[in-house]
Amino acid sequence: MNILVTGAGGFIGYHVCQKLLENDHTVVGMDNINDYYDVRLKYDRLAQLGIDQKSAEKLSHKVQSKIYPSFSFIRLTLEDRHNLSSLFKKEAFDTVCNLAAQAGVRYSLKNPEVYVDSNVVGFLNILENCRNYGIKHLVYASSSSVYGKNEKVPFKTSDSVDHPISLYAATKKSNELMAHTYSHLYGFATTGLRFFTVYGPWGRPDMAIFLFTDAMVKGNLIKVFNNGNMERDFTYIDDIVEGVVRIIEKDTKERIMNSEQYKLYNIGNNKSVKLLDFIEAIESSLGITAKKEMLPMQPGDVTATWANVDTLLADYDYRPNTPIKTGIKKFVDWYKGYYGM
């Protein structure tokens, strides 16, 4: 297949591109390479895909990978309606995997406009191009944050998500509604994936495992919110990618015939881990005892997340199988290697 992956310089997007290329697909990666976190990490991810920084820096200019003959990259923002349309028209994609978005719950409290521009306007542009250029299937990133203060665990996609508690969550909920509308009106398949706390090598610096590891190595305090009384469905990146790629690769003809153009899934580890246990596993991998700063709950945060993935198991035989200790060790090993420790 010929596949567009947006957010290709991001954590999940980079790994998805790599897996699709290993499976012999043709992939065009796209990213705006914003400065939400250190852009060096984004350029270094792209370098793993054969795209050097000098080439990647050029806006609206598609460059060929020096490693993968079937991979190319273009630096482009979702909000650039004109150039995005030109890309769709020229490339004739079969499938689009939209992983580009302004991420982060806490950041949305300070920079709300960026979330509407990227996650709402940008997503509309993706939908419009899927409609206009005959895309068979749009797979897109939603988030577990849409569940808000839902206290019934594990979370099911049938649960109410009408009360988001951050703008980030609200934009992700809007994506689901917009995708439903376009599937209904124009008949192409859309699949939304509510990601639960993803971690692993090449992860984002604003995520808990990175923040904790970095602070411990440097001898700094780690910030533990809600005094540690939190649980998360931590999901290792390889398990996430396996699910995403299975969904991309499965033919959607049967779905269309059965009027099931719109689908929504949780994608997570199918279990909840206590935050203090997670920290303990990092301590074990590093051989360092963390210095903890216990803090109250932050605005926009929730106490616990836990994904019910029964429907993803039934439809795609999705079986996350990476133990927390194994995944954390792989992250720590990557961190030490990347930062030369």
Side-chain angles (χ1 to χ4, degrees), residues 112-222:
E113 296 87 356
V114 177
Y115 286 78
V116 174
D117 291 343
S118 179
N119 300 6
V120 180
V121 176
F123 190 67
L124 174 63
N125 292 340
I126 289 288
L127 287 167
E128 274 290 283
N129 281 290
C130 287
R131 170 172 81 97
N132 292 331
Y133 295 103
I135 302 302
K136 299 180 180 69
H137 191 191
L138 168 63
V139 181
Y140 64 94
S142 186
S143 168
S144 62
S145 66
V146 300
Y147 289 106
K149 284 189 173 293
N150 183 13
E151 295 181 356
K152 182 182 72 65
V153 292
F155 299 161
K156 295 183 178 181
T157 54
S158 58
D159 293 343
S160 173
V161 290
D162 294 333
H163 303 285
I165 59 172
S166 70
L167 182 63
Y168 171 69
T171 64
K172 288 300 183 179
K173 172 60 178 173
S174 76
N175 289 174
E176 296 175 3
L177 294 170
M178 293 161 73
H180 182 277
T181 302
Y182 270 71
S183 281
H184 172 73
L185 290 174
Y186 306 114
F188 63 90
T190 62
T191 305
L193 299 174
R194 291 175 176 172
F195 290 111
F196 283 67
T197 316
V198 188
Y199 74 99
W202 296 99
R204 285 181 7 220
D206 63 322
M207 299 298 284
I209 189 170
F210 200 112
L211 292 170
F212 291 158
T213 301
D214 193 61
M216 288 183 204
V217 166
K218 295 174 180 176
N220 297 330
L221 291 169
I222 66 170

Side-chain angles (χ1 to χ4, degrees), residues 296-307:
M297 181 73 89
Q298 295 292 289
D301 266 355
V302 296
T303 304
T305 65
W306 180 0

Side-chain angles (χ1 to χ4, degrees), residues 209-277:
I209 189 170
F210 200 112
L211 292 170
F212 291 158
T213 301
D214 193 61
M216 288 183 204
V217 166
K218 295 174 180 176
N220 297 330
L221 291 169
I222 66 170
K223 295 180 179 180
V224 183
F225 294 109
N226 202 33
N227 297 303
N229 296 315
M230 301 178 75
E231 297 183 23
R232 289 289 182 269
D233 191 327
F234 293 104
T235 314
Y236 188 64
I237 184 62
D238 288 1
D239 292 329
I240 288 286
V241 169
E242 181 65 29
V244 173
V245 171
R246 287 189 184 199
I247 291 166
I248 289 172
E249 291 181 335
K250 188 172 182 179
D251 198 300
T252 58
K253 289 180 182 177
E254 186 176 341
R255 274 177 56 176
I256 302 298
M257 288 175 58
N258 294 332
S259 298
E260 295 180 333
Q261 292 94 328
Y262 174 81
K263 286 278 192 176
L264 193 61
Y265 296 98
N266 287 331
I267 182 164
N269 198 36
N270 202 25
K271 63 183 67 173
S272 194
V273 176
K274 293 179 180 179
L275 181 59
L276 292 178
D277 290 342

